[in-house]
Amino acid sequence: MHQDTFMRDSIPPVERLVITLRYLGTGQSLASLHYAFLVGKSTASVIIRETCVAIWDALHAAVMAQPHKEQWKEIADVFQQTCQFPNCAGAIDGKHIRIKKPVRSGSQYYNYKKYFSFVLFAMCDANYSFRYIDVGSYGSRSDSAVFAHSDFGKMLQNKALDLPEHTALPGTTSPAMPFVFVGDEAFALGENLMRPYSSRGLSLARRVFNYRLTRARRVVECAFGILANKWRFLHTPIHLKLETAVKAACVLHNFVRARDGYNFEDSLTHSLHSHRPSVVRGHRQGAAVREQITAYFLSPHGALPWQLDAI
């Protein structure tokens, strides 16, 4: 047996977890972990990868399982209570995770901000918990491309998310409206996916819609902020082979959120960069849903007292 393998296998599980959490929580380099725990750098790297896989396997089903119909309704209720956006099942966004340049990777991981990265795509609820993540897409890809190729995007397209039946907006009896996810201008408008109106020449009603959508969409930005400031390894370039650490951090984020809540100040800043908006087209059904919600936000049932002062 190779000496490194023998030494790695001799390290007890508790110490493996301590090494991994030290890395995730502080972003210490492998060289620093080598001196702190008296293990080789390659040994530390393997321990972190293996332990992160174990963390994901142990927690994923408990803290990030796909919601069923009743849970989607509960998520939408919280969005309505906290963000005043009805029939909202989640907020979506993609962030760049900075990495060290992979060998022979060409420009696939080279993003528009001129550094190497892969993409963390996420959908979160109004409690700042991740309900779905996709990790590892090339940094050169747009949010819309990452979304379209993700399992979540495919399930949404194929009506396989078990979303609730169409429901009238609060205070109204018709028409029945679909449950939707909210994203920024990088995503294509769809029946179940709302994005803001283009910023040029907006009417009052459209400016109100954009404001209301932003109130709901910001929760995913806050979730990324909490994630990055809790797990400090995300502030430094990581090796591509440690992408499993990002998945582990996301389920640990949910685990800690459920146990401890969160500190709002932690959500205000983070080192994860958004994707550059891309030009993507929606379709007529999505446009019709957006117009209905826009009208609702100016109606007696849907207007907020302060919304005109906020735009």
Side-chain angles (χ1 to χ4, degrees), residues 66-73 155 159-165:
Q66 180 179 325
H68 53 69
K69 190 168 297 185
E70 290 304 315
Q71 290 174 324
W72 286 123
K73 291 180 181 178
M155 286 189 290
K159 308 294 185 183
L161 284 177
D162 194 29
L163 291 174
E165 293 80 10

Side-chain angles (χ1 to χ4, degrees), residues 213-246:
L213 182 139
T214 299
R215 282 173 54 82
R217 191 187 63 79
R218 68 183 180 182
V219 300
V220 69
E221 295 282 349
C222 289
F224 282 131
I226 298 166
L227 176 75
N229 288 324
K230 184 75 171 180
W231 307 106
R232 306 293 292 183
F233 81 101
L234 292 169
H235 289 256
T236 59
I238 67 174
H239 288 285
L240 180 61
K241 60 187 177 182
L242 288 178
E243 69 176 48
T244 55
V246 178

Side-chain angles (χ1 to χ4, degrees), residues 86-88 164-167 169 176-180 191-192 289 293:
N87 288 24
C88 182
E165 293 80 10
H166 290 18
T167 304
L169 301 180
M177 300 292 289
F179 283 76
V180 300
E191 180 185 13
N192 300 108
V289 172
I293 297 175

Side-chain angles (χ1 to χ4, degrees), residues 6 51 54 115 120 155 183 186 205 223 231 237 256 294:
F6 175 78
T51 306
Y115 64 82
L120 166 60
M155 286 189 290
W231 307 106
V256 173
T294 300

Side-chain angles (χ1 to χ4, degrees), residues 7 25 46 57 59 95 124 155 170 191 205 212 238 245 272 295 311:
M7 291 182 62
V46 173
D57 290 342
L59 293 180
K95 294 294 180 183
C124 78
M155 286 189 290
E191 180 185 13
R212 297 286 290 271
I238 67 174
L272 308 182
I311 61 175

Side-chain angles (χ1 to χ4, degrees), residues 144-163:
S144 58
V146 173
F147 172 74
H149 288 88
S150 68
D151 289 339
F152 179 82
K154 293 174 182 177
M155 286 189 290
L156 183 63
Q157 178 69 27
N158 296 325
K159 308 294 185 183
L161 284 177
D162 194 29
L163 291 174

Side-chain angles (χ1 to χ4, degrees), residues 11 19 27 100 125 148 184 192 220 309:
I11 298 174
I19 291 172
K100 296 179 180 179
D125 61 27
D184 62 20
N192 300 108
V220 69
D309 295 329

